[in-house]
Amino acid sequence: MLMISPRMASGTQEKQYNPSLLNFFIYNPKFGPREGEEEKKILFYHPSEVEKNEKIRNVGLCEAIVQFTRTFCPTKPAKSLHTQKNRQFFHEPEENFWMVMVVRNPMIEKPNKDGKPPTVEYQEEEILDSVYGAVLQQCYSMYKLFNGTFNRAMEAGGVELLTQKLEKFFYRYLQTLHLQTCDLLDVFGGISFFPLDKMTYLKIQSFVNRVEESLSLVKYTAFLYNDQLIWSGLEQEDMRILYKYLTTSLFPRHSEPELAGRDSPLRPEVTGNLLHYGRFLTGPTNLKDPDAKFRFPRIFVNTEDSYEELHLIVYKAMSAAVCFMISASVELGREFCEQLDGLVGPQLTLLASDICEQYNINRRLSGPEKEPQFKFIYFNHMNLAEKSTIHMRKTVSVSLTSVHPDLMKILGDINCDFARVDEDEEIIVKAMTDYWVVGKKSDQRELYVILNQKNANLIEVNEEVKRLCATQFNNIFFLD
Amino acid sequence: MTEEYYLELSENPVQFESASSVNNVFFDEANKQVFAVRSGGATGVVVKGPDDKCSVAFRMDDKGEVKCIKFSLGNKILAVQRTPKSVVLPDKRTLKLLKSQSINVNWYMYCPETTVLLLSTTVQGNVLQPFIFKNGTMSKMSKFEIELPMVPKPAKLSLSERDIAMATIYGQLYVMYLKHHSRTVNSPGAEVVLYHLPREGPCKKAHVLKLNTTGKFALNVVDNLVVVHHQSTQTSLIFDIKLREPDCAVNIHQPVLPARSIHPYRIPLTGPAVAPSQAPVPCELYSSTWSVFQPDIIISASEGYLWYLQVKLRPMLTLLPDKGKLMDFLLRRRDCKMVILSVCSQMLVGGDKGALPVVAVVFDKLNQVYKEYLEAEQAYTVAMESAPSRSSSAHKRPVRTQAVIDQSDMYTHVLSSFTEKKDVSHKFIIAVLMEYIRSLNQFQITVQHYLYELVIKTLVQHNLFYMLHQFLQYHVLSDSKPLACLLLSLESTYPPAHQLSLDMLKRLSTANDEIVEVLLSKQQVLGALRFVRSVGAHDNVSARKFLDAAQQTSDPMLFYTIFRFFEQRNLRLRGNPNFNPGEHCEEHVAYFKQTFGEQALMRPASV
């Protein structure tokens, strides 16, 4: 399938506005079914300063749209509403609990001569339902990870507790949403796995098993290196959101001490004669501090069945980070933390340097020619494995891409096409800027390649992608 | 308490008439024969050896008190010594002097296994001159001096032959010196000093065994262990010179285990007067009438028994709590296999906290030995292949000792039953299996499929599919066709197993047929065809198979595509789009005509 992408906007004195968050609210229509009680339906509303009646009006509108679209398909009510100025996304994560996100469309402000007010041109087709729909779902998943389900909060403390929790969580969380940089990777919500040889992997297994054995409180363990996952004792869905939290929030906040010099006060001290670099990323910042606090964030996993509340201990030595999860019913204190530090610190330091060494050896063996000259995104729905040579390292604020947003949009479009059918597919797009964009879907895997070859024809592009598959994906079953 | 005894006397001792005023008993160390000489031989000489073949009985004239009596090797010639300076050979034989050495000798000692003769020289007797007999010649080895605990003044004979023994330990000859505690020196007890006597080169003091006590001692060597019997406490100690003490200098050894008595022994009563119900009487152990011979012989002349001393390995399990040390010890013993396997089983069900590091150490020790054997075996095979004509003696096939515990041993005796245990957490079971696989990998030993199967079975049993998925993702479970098939069978309970299986088949690169079958069974006919084309096998596949599969999908467009593909293949290969009768595609052609009309068939190219 060959398509020509729409023309890219190119203005000189024009002003471009990125998509931004207008409203975000959560309501339950059952909470105020009678007239005059509509306000009770609203559990959370951002921005909070919006006038009460407007809130009620907006919620009512969403309710009506959902109700109305239900008549066409009772199981699949509307997911989004497109208007000229904005786009609304609806999500019902738990029965009767609705989350709505309103995003202002990107727009271009064109100056007018003769002192007239500038003309605003909304780009209503520029943002993708799939991307922002996924962002909204992620909002819920993240809330649930740290707070449990809405229903549990209701059971424990009624509407009051739930609204409290929502307020506390979303007030901060919404500030970290960077809607302008959301793209295909948000749709995937994937996990980047650290490439590792079998032997080193087995050593990590051995380490995890030993720690779990000696610290029997530890229920689950996850092991990461270089912000990439190596081992997860959690189930896939829980790991997916925890991984998101770690890599986009926790790790970026703690990256400074590693970059700091040896004499920096941020650098953790070497305790006793055990030379190790282990430190807690959650909980106590300094074990030696007599006033150290031993409070860890709590997370909720397996909410579908066993519904477990756990302490999340994240412990890091050099580039290796380990999450230890312990039942929240256990009180954790100094003694436990010291025990963990003494046991894990030296082992993890050693292991981290082993991994680093092995990784460098493997890289040298595979040679520089294996370094991708291609820009691609790979995703496997089966294990959520994600790989991108388009995205730079994530930072606290933004994830940077090395390609033009228009190309990212094409990738998103192709992904939407793939989502519509079950069959394996291949889509090749010639973008206006001499770029070729190729999307391939084979069974549960998707691959998107961006090629910058001005005069290449369709056959050459096809050959090029084949070559990429042969070098990068020769060990998986990926149909040509 | 029987668990406590780690030494025992052999169950089938050599029995002989006990020593008495009329019966003299002699022992020949070379042939391991006991001579019971009655009345100077007039009423009979009974010779008993380690087996019945060596047993002889005869009479000879009583020509006075017999001081010593021996057979030559093979019982051919009998020699009798009645006076200090003459030896009588009953048949008329002549002896020839082959070589003579002139040395002042205090006493001598001969080791039949290594054919080494040791002479005690000098006034104090502590300079030992060894000779070796080989191929009919006698050669002098370098002499050496035994360090005495104190030098007597004036000089007198201070080294007795009672304190010296020779034995082969781990294939090397050692002169063992029982160095008694000296009151003047502040030493805690007696020692056994081992001097290593190599075939060539000087003799060196190699090991010191600390006895930590004083008194009368006797030495045996059993299964490469030095056994020291202590008479006053009626206990024995064992030493393993290869066992290194962490906090001792390399060649100073402490006993492996606490001192224990030899297992009590009961002598069954025999003779016509004995009623069957009468219990056997306990035998007095460490009796003063015992004589101890190298390497492992204990003789009680008064009771008329010759025993072989034996080491029991099973009690070590409880006596040696350090599993790593225990494993080192057991791996060097002769009949160790079953004991090692029971150590493994035991440590897995013990449920001790912190067991995993110990498990890892034990596995590593086992696999180290296993790997060494595999390497030797491989080197042998390579050598035989490269030069098979050369005499086979040049390449000695490596001996597989009991210490070689392979994967099938572990599987059969330890792991398979362990994974069935209901009272062990599955977490621990999986950790142990992974630890064993890790250890095998560390020694670069190819892991057998049945171990992977065990891992998968355990994971599936506990619904730990995501864990399995991750293991496969990092290729911890190595690719193989059986494993891929096993994964396929899991697809109904865990759908991602399908992808994992296909990936594995792809990597094997010898399983293209299987991949096609898998895809066709999933009705991915087009995918199968694309795959076949990508591996360049599209000219050889059976058209019928694909057409069958396409027809089953009830998708006419798919059938059309597949049908057309094969028509084009026919045209390309044979110049004609029609199917050959041998391809058995008649029904598909009929179906095509029926669905798309006759005119849709490809026409043969008109020439």
Side-chain angles (χ1 to χ4, degrees), chain A residues 313-373:
Chain A
I313 301 175
V314 184
Y315 188 89
K316 195 171 182 188
M318 304 201 276
S319 296
V322 194
C323 305
F324 297 109
M325 286 154 272
I326 293 173
S327 172
S329 58
V330 181
E331 197 78 38
L332 297 178
R334 174 181 291 277
E335 197 189 337
F336 178 81
C337 291
E338 282 175 351
Q339 194 193 354
L340 187 141
D341 185 62
L343 180 82
V344 175
Q347 286 190 59
L348 190 61
T349 304
L350 211 67
L351 203 50
S353 62
D354 266 10
I355 298 170
C356 178
E357 194 179 323
Q358 202 54 46
Y359 178 64
N360 288 335
I361 290 171
N362 291 347
R363 248 205 341 210
R364 227 174 298 136
L365 283 180
S366 61
E369 71 273 12
K370 253 206 152 177
E371 288 291 307
Q373 304 123 349

Side-chain angles (χ1 to χ4, degrees), chain A residues 105-167:
Chain A
N105 287 331
M107 54 188 189
I108 296 168
E109 220 177 53
K110 289 181 178 164
N112 279 328
K113 283 168 198 161
D114 318 327
K116 278 191 208 162
T119 322
V120 173
E121 201 176 277
Y122 287 97
Q123 298 172 298
E124 14 193 314
E125 292 313 313
E126 286 306 294
I127 65 176
L128 287 164
D129 278 355
S130 58
V131 171
Y132 293 95
V135 169
L136 182 56
Q137 287 177 29
Q138 233 170 53
C139 288
Y140 173 71
S141 300
M142 201 62 90
Y143 168 84
K144 191 179 75 172
L145 179 68
F146 291 103
N147 295 279
T149 61
F150 296 159
N151 273 311
R152 285 280 175 143
M154 286 297 296
E155 283 164 23
V159 181
E160 203 180 324
L161 179 69
L162 177 61
T163 48
Q164 245 175 47
K165 279 176 169 258
L166 291 172
E167 196 70 47

